[in-house]
Amino acid sequence: MTEPSQRVNGQEGEASDAELIQRWKAGDQRAATTIVERHSPALARFAVSQGARDDIDELVQDTFVRAFNSLDGFRGDSSFRTWLLTIERRLLLDRRRAEKRRPDRVESQEGDASTQFDALDGMMAREARQRLSEAVTRLSPTQRQVFTLRVGEGMSYKEIADAAGTTEGAARVHYHNAMKAMKEFIDD
Amino acid sequence: MIDCPNEAMRDLLPDLANESLESSVRVLVTGHIATCAACAAEIEIIRSARLLLVSSTPRVNVASIVKALPSYRGSIPIQSARSARNRTWGSSWRIAAAATFLAAGLGSFAVLRPGAPVVVKDTTVVAVNHGLALTGTLADLSDAELVALVKDIDGIEALPSTEVEAGSVVNASNILPDSIGRDLEIP
């Protein structure tokens, strides 16, 4: 696995997000680099789960710029990563609205959120991997969003609810429905 | 594929895959998986999906993102300001003049105002009004604090016992230590 699981506040011994934010406010640019390195993969995965493809770099950058411009407004009610994901979700919604208004827009395939991934090692048979990838792709956008956050990021249902703008109960239902749909597709 | 009826255990499977369970809970969950075919199958799907998601994460340009970030413009505590070493004095000649005179340890200093007579004012009152610690150095003050200090200095109406004759030109290099006088740029 290329990315070790980590709590959103960093591994034991690493500075927490709160500490890094204070350091950045004091002028330490390295703190900003650490924050971006720590959270950009999760933001990128979330963007992919929502259908973003070519503009992921720009979306992640816009999310961080907006976040750093509003750091004084971050109250700490949720984790920092959850807050970032909330910002990114809003940006995605804004972009979708803007795209709908454009007369020459290209219809995006809702189910076509397949990612281009690097070749995996021998851990997964190519066929099984393709099947799993297709199963994830076939999920509804909300199911895919919740599934990605629960499985990919290890976020709790409460954190998922905050990031996705839903309730904890709904997040749990979406996850289990997603798992059920994936099992049915894989078993077919 | 049937689901395990133990929903609480199923809810913990993603946490097991993300290695975020407390050790005692992890032992319970792995013990359950060893006896539950449904959960064993489900954790395999979760682990495979997680591997897929992580390995397919698009790479973003971290350096480019950091470069685009804004500078912090909020209020910075004095403690933090002391640790910042990128002070610039040259933005205001009046700040430079007032700060330099104070650093020289003079009991009074000159506020140089273009076209106006030179007035010597007492620094002690200003420093006390500001609540500034006189034991610190001017390098400890932020630009905002220095600007406020200069404004207060300008606002002092009481004239000291000494007053430079109106119209006379004060040559900073004559009254300042040589090292400071040389560096001070007064238009």
Side-chain angles (χ1 to χ4, degrees):
Chain A
M1 193 163 298
T2 57
E3 183 179 301
S5 68
Q6 60 182 26
R7 304 306 301 159
V8 292
N9 271 340
Q11 302 274 29
E12 193 176 329
E14 292 179 353
S16 68
D17 289 331
E19 287 166 353
L20 290 170
I21 289 169
Q22 285 307 310
R23 283 190 211 167
W24 174 73
K25 287 182 177 180
D28 184 358
Q29 273 301 100
R30 291 169 301 176
T33 302
T34 303
I35 289 174
V36 172
E37 282 173 344
R38 180 179 290 177
H39 296 290
S40 58
L43 292 176
R45 280 192 290 270
F46 185 73
V48 167
S49 77
Q50 296 305 287
R53 271 183 274 181
D54 302 323
D55 54 349
I56 293 171
D57 240 68
E58 187 185 328
L59 179 64
V60 172
Q61 178 173 303
D62 287 348
T63 301
F64 276 113
V65 168
R66 191 168 286 203
F68 274 73
N69 270 321
S70 339
L71 269 181
D72 282 341
F74 174 57
R75 295 185 300 274
D77 297 338
S78 61
S79 73
F80 186 64
R81 180 171 292 183
T82 302
W83 187 62
L84 287 172
L85 288 167
T86 305
I87 294 172
E88 190 180 38
R89 181 176 63 85
R90 289 189 193 133
L91 283 171
L92 277 162
L93 287 172
D94 290 343
R95 286 181 182 210
R96 284 204 191 113
R97 284 191 206 110
E99 279 173 10
K100 279 180 184 169
R101 282 194 294 269
R102 258 188 262 134
D104 58 342
R105 67 189 171 92
V106 175
E107 283 288 344
S108 63
Q109 306 280 335
E110 278 290 7
D112 186 19
S114 61
T115 61
Q116 294 181 6
F117 41 80
D118 300 329
L120 294 177
D121 55 22
M123 288 178 69
M124 288 174 68
R126 178 172 294 273
E127 215 173 279
R129 183 192 66 190
Q130 293 279 29
R131 194 107 179 117
L132 187 61
S133 175
E134 203 174 331
V136 174
T137 305
R138 284 168 160 265
L139 296 175
S140 72
T142 306
Q143 288 174 346
R144 191 165 55 241
Q145 177 187 77
V146 172
F147 185 82
T148 299
L149 293 177
R150 185 76 182 106
V151 167
E153 312 307 327
M155 290 170 68
S156 67
Y157 291 120
K158 171 74 172 63
E159 290 170 328
I160 293 170
D162 289 341
T166 183
T167 64
E168 201 172 329
R172 181 178 272 107
V173 168
H174 286 310
Y175 170 78
H176 285 294
N177 284 345
M179 180 55 74
K180 183 179 175 185
M182 288 184 62
K183 284 178 182 176
E184 285 172 358
F185 181 76
I186 290 169
D187 282 349
D188 278 349
Chain B
M1 201 183 294
I2 59 167
D3 292 336
C4 173
N6 190 335
E7 285 195 9
M9 203 54 78
R10 286 185 67 207
D11 268 347
L12 293 173
L13 296 180
D15 299 314
L16 178 69
N18 276 277
E19 300 173 10
S20 59
L21 290 177
E22 301 266 349
S23 57
S24 57
V25 178
R26 188 174 64 243
V27 168
L28 280 172
V29 176
T30 51
H32 171 80
I33 289 172
T35 60
C36 176
C39 282
E42 188 161 324
I43 191 67
E44 278 315 302
I45 293 175
I46 291 170
R47 283 184 171 137
S48 299
R50 186 165 184 278
L51 178 64
L52 181 71
L53 289 168
V54 170
S55 64
S56 62
T57 301
R59 290 190 178 85
V60 295
N61 190 329
V62 171
S64 172
I65 292 172
V66 172
K67 202 175 173 184
L69 295 178
S71 301
Y72 182 58
R73 291 194 177 87
S75 60
I76 302 176
I78 291 176
Q79 286 300 128
S80 299
R82 281 183 182 142
S83 63
R85 297 293 174 208
N86 54 347
R87 295 251 165 268
T88 55
W89 299 93
S91 61
S92 167
W93 65 266
R94 292 171 68 195
I95 295 173
T100 303
F101 281 112
L102 288 171
L106 298 175
S108 58
F109 65 90
V111 173
L112 305 178
R113 200 191 306 266
V118 175
V119 177
V120 179
K121 297 184 179 178
D122 193 334
T123 63
T124 309
V125 173
V126 172
V128 170
N129 283 346
H130 259 282
L132 293 173
L134 298 179
T135 56
T137 67
L138 287 167
D140 296 334
L141 299 179
S142 68
D143 285 346
E145 286 164 341
L146 285 169
V147 169
L149 178 61
V150 170
K151 281 183 182 169
D152 271 358
I153 291 168
D154 285 351
I156 295 176
E157 293 187 7
L159 296 178
S161 56
T162 58
E163 185 173 12
V164 176
E165 189 176 351
S168 65
V169 174
V170 174
N171 186 337
S173 61
N174 289 342
I175 57 175
L176 294 172
D178 284 348
S179 59
I180 296 176
R182 273 199 304 274
D183 296 337
L184 182 64
E185 293 181 15
I186 302 177

